Amino acid sequence: MPEPVFALIDCNSFYASCERVFRPDLQRTPIVVLSNNDGCVIARSADAKPFVKMGALFHEIRGDLKHQGVVAFSSNYALYGDMSERVMSIIEARLPAVEVYSIDEAFADLTGIPGSLEHLSRTLQSEIKQKTGISVGIGIAGTKTLAKLANHAAKRWQRQTGGVVDLRDPVRRVKLLKVIPVEDVWGIGRRMQVHLNALGIKTAWDLASCDAWELRKRFNVIIEKTVRELRGTACLELEEAAPAKQEICCSRSFGIRLKTIEPIQEAITAYATRAAEKLRQQSSLCRQIRVSLRTGMFNPTEAKYANGILCQLPYPTDDTRLIIAAAREGISRLYRDGFSYAKAQVLLLDLCRRDEYTQDLFAPEQPVKTERLMSVLDAINRRWGRGTLQPGRIAKPVEWSMRREFLSPAYTTRWTDLLLARAQ
C-alpha cells in the first residue's frame, strides 16, 4: 500500500490578487483590503506588509497609506467568491480527491499518483495562473500538517522554491522544522503557544520531538495528533464533503447608525433571507432562531444597549417567509427607543438534516408547496444572480447597507461591470 501524500494549494494574498487581476496597473502597487464598513485591514499584498499591520484601523492609518502609496479596496466578496470557485474548479478537474478548506486554499490527496509530483504541482500552478491570474503556492508532504508547513515555506521563500516545496525527504523536513517557530504550526493558537513556550518548546522541531502521549494528557488529543503528523504519521484524513454546519449566522454592521425600527426591520429581513439560503444549500431544517441587536460599544458618548432573544418556529423549516416573520417579531421585542443601533444578527439554531428528520404524525410539518416554492426561488437566484427575487420588505436603495467607499466593480458576476476591450 503506497504511503499517503497530501498537497496544500493556497492562493497568494488572495483578496489583493483578485483585485490585481482586473487592475494590471496595480501589479507593483501595495494593496490592502478592508473589512465590512471599511473598518480595518483584513488582507494585504506582500509588498504592503512592511507598511501596514493586519487589523489596523483604517481611519487611523488612512493618511499614512496615501503617503506610502498603498491603495485600499473595500471587501468585494462577490468577486472573491467567484474567483475562488474558478481556482477550485481547476484543482478539482486535475486532482482526484480535493478538500476545499477555505476560500483560498484546498487540500488534495496525491497518494498513488505516478510520476513527479513536483512537476504535476508546477503544471497545476501554471494553469491556475494562466486561466485566473491568481498565483498559488503548493506544499507536498506525507501529512496534512506537514503539507501546511511545506506551503508556508513555499510562500515564504518564493524566489528560491518557485512556490512549490516537497517535504517528503526526511532530511529536508527536519531542516525546515528546526527553523519554523511553533506558533506557525497549523492548529497551534496563541494560548497554546504560551503553554508550549513555557515548556521550552520554541520550534516545530521541538514539538515534533516531544512525547505525544504526555502532551495529550497535559492538553488534548489535538496536540497529540499534531505531534504525530509532524513526525510523518498521517492522523488527519481528507474531508471531500464539508460537514453540515450546526449553526448558521448572518451578522452585519449597519453602514450608518439606525435610530428607528423600520430600517432595522429591513436589515433583519435581508439577514434572515441570506441565512435561509445557506440553510437550504446544506439541505437542513431549522427549529429555532436567535435574533440580537446592539449599539456601538466603543464610543464613550453613545448610550449602550445589547440584547438577544430566542424565537421558536412552528415546525422544522427552511421557509424564508417563516424565518423572516420570526426574526422581525424578535426585533420588535428587542427594539428600544433612544438608542443608535450599529449591528444586528440572525442565528439559526437546532438544525437537522432534511434526510435525517423523522416527522411526527401528530405535529405540524412544512407543506410540500413550500418546498416547491423555495426550490423555484433558489433556482431563479442561482441562474440570474443573488437578490433577483427577494422579499418586498427590503427597500431599494438600502440606506443601512455596508459602507464600502472603495468597492471595485463586480467584474465577473454583473453584466454591467464586465471589462470592455476597445480597439486603439
Side-chain angles (χ1 to χ4, degrees):
M1 186 174 179
E3 291 290 325
V5 183
F6 297 93
L8 178 66
I9 304 100
D10 187 8
C11 301
N12 299 331
S13 304
F14 180 62
Y15 287 0
S17 295
C18 289
E19 300 290 355
R20 277 179 168 163
V21 167
F22 301 96
R23 290 288 306 274
D25 57 308
L26 298 179
Q27 287 298 322
R28 300 183 181 278
T29 302
I31 290 174
V32 297
V33 178
L34 307 175
S35 65
N36 294 345
N37 289 312
D38 296 340
C40 64
V41 174
I42 59 170
R44 305 166 295 170
S45 60
D47 47 5
K49 292 180 180 180
F51 307 113
V52 190
K53 290 184 178 180
M54 187 68 80
L57 297 176
F58 179 61
H59 73 272
E60 294 181 352
I61 63 170
R62 187 168 186 166
D64 293 337
L65 292 183
K66 186 175 182 180
H67 177 73
Q68 298 290 349
V70 179
V71 175
F73 285 93
S74 301
S75 48
N76 188 340
Y77 296 119
L79 174 64
Y80 309 150
D82 185 70
M83 293 298 289
S84 172
E85 289 182 10
R86 295 175 186 229
V87 171
M88 298 307 167
S89 65
I90 295 172
I91 298 171
E92 290 170 339
R94 296 292 175 263
L95 301 177
V98 175
E99 173 194 341
V100 178
Y101 182 66
S102 69
I103 192 172
D104 64 343
E105 57 186 333
F107 285 103
D109 190 344
L110 307 184
T111 305
I113 295 180
S116 169
L117 296 184
E118 183 172 340
H119 176 72
L120 172 67
S121 300
R122 295 194 186 280
T123 301
L124 177 62
Q125 186 185 46
S126 177
E127 182 178 0
I128 293 172
K129 178 67 175 179
Q130 180 185 16
K131 292 183 176 179
T132 68
I134 302 295
S135 299
V136 300
I138 302 178
I140 306 168
T143 72
K144 291 174 75 174
T145 302
L146 285 172
K148 190 87 169 174
L149 279 182
N151 183 275
H152 175 79
K155 297 173 76 171
R156 182 173 177 179
W157 294 287
Q158 173 74 30
R159 292 184 179 179
Q160 298 91 322
T161 65
V164 176
V165 169
D166 188 343
L167 270 192
R168 288 176 296 165
D169 177 14
V171 175
R172 195 175 192 185
R173 182 171 71 240
V174 171
K175 183 178 179 181
L176 178 63
L177 293 180
K178 289 183 175 180
V179 299
I180 294 294
V182 70
E183 59 266 27
D184 288 343
V185 175
W186 185 34
I188 303 298
R190 289 188 177 181
R191 290 186 179 180
M192 183 59 69
Q193 174 200 348
V194 173
H195 293 306
L196 294 177
N197 288 169
L199 296 174
I201 302 171
K202 306 290 186 180
T203 67
W205 175 250
D206 295 336
L207 183 59
S209 303
C210 289
D211 186 314
W213 181 248
E214 286 298 324
L215 286 181
R216 173 175 177 161
K217 290 191 293 183
R218 183 184 287 266
F219 300 112
N220 53 48
V221 68
I222 297 175
I223 194 71
E224 179 201 8
K225 289 183 177 181
T226 300
V227 172
R228 297 191 187 282
E229 289 248 326
L230 290 175
R231 294 176 183 169
T233 302
C235 301
L236 304 175
E237 297 180 353
L238 208 67
E239 297 180 3
E240 295 183 63
K245 295 179 180 179
Q246 300 303 306
E247 298 178 352
I248 292 177
C249 178
C250 188
S251 175
R252 300 283 189 276
S253 295
F254 308 134
I256 58 174
R257 293 290 195 265
L258 300 180
K259 299 182 179 180
T260 59
I261 193 170
E262 289 79 11
I264 298 175
Q265 291 280 30
E266 289 178 11
I268 211 69
T269 298
Y271 303 166
T273 300
R274 179 59 185 141
E277 290 174 355
K278 294 180 180 179
L279 184 69
R280 293 192 293 273
Q281 286 173 2
Q282 68 173 39
S283 299
S284 292
L285 302 174
C286 172
R287 294 186 177 94
Q288 63 179 357
I289 70 174
R290 185 180 190 275
V291 183
S292 59
L293 181 66
R294 70 170 176 82
T295 61
M297 294 305 193
F298 304 106
N299 188 338
T301 64
E302 284 185 343
K304 308 295 188 296
Y305 172 75
N307 204 353
I309 190 171
L310 280 174
C311 307
Q312 194 71 32
L313 296 169
Y315 45 76
T317 183
D318 58 8
D319 188 343
T320 295
R321 298 167 301 173
L322 272 180
I323 294 173
I324 287 174
R328 291 175 67 93
E329 172 63 22
I331 283 295
S332 297
R333 294 166 63 182
L334 292 175
Y335 177 80
R336 302 287 185 274
D337 282 324
F339 293 99
S340 298
Y341 293 98
K343 187 175 184 178
Q345 179 188 86
V346 173
L347 181 64
L348 306 189
L349 300 168
D350 199 4
L351 308 188
C352 60
R353 297 282 295 179
R354 179 180 290 276
D355 53 4
E356 297 172 353
Y357 168 61
T358 302
Q359 296 177 347
D360 188 329
L361 182 62
F362 302 102
E365 60 184 54
Q366 180 162 284
V368 173
K369 64 180 182 181
T370 294
E371 297 175 8
R372 293 173 180 168
L373 176 61
M374 293 300 108
S375 295
V376 171
L377 173 67
D378 292 337
I380 292 174
N381 284 332
R382 278 196 303 270
R383 180 171 182 180
W384 301 107
R386 185 186 302 163
T388 301
L389 279 184
Q390 63 181 12
R393 294 176 182 272
I394 303 176
K396 293 288 185 177
V398 181
E399 64 171 307
W400 44 263
S401 60
M402 286 190 298
R403 182 174 63 255
R404 295 193 283 184
E405 183 181 346
F406 311 100
L407 182 65
S408 55
Y411 298 106
T412 63
T413 57
R414 188 182 299 134
W415 288 108
T416 55
D417 288 351
L418 286 176
L419 289 176
L420 300 178
R422 294 186 174 89
Q424 295 292 331

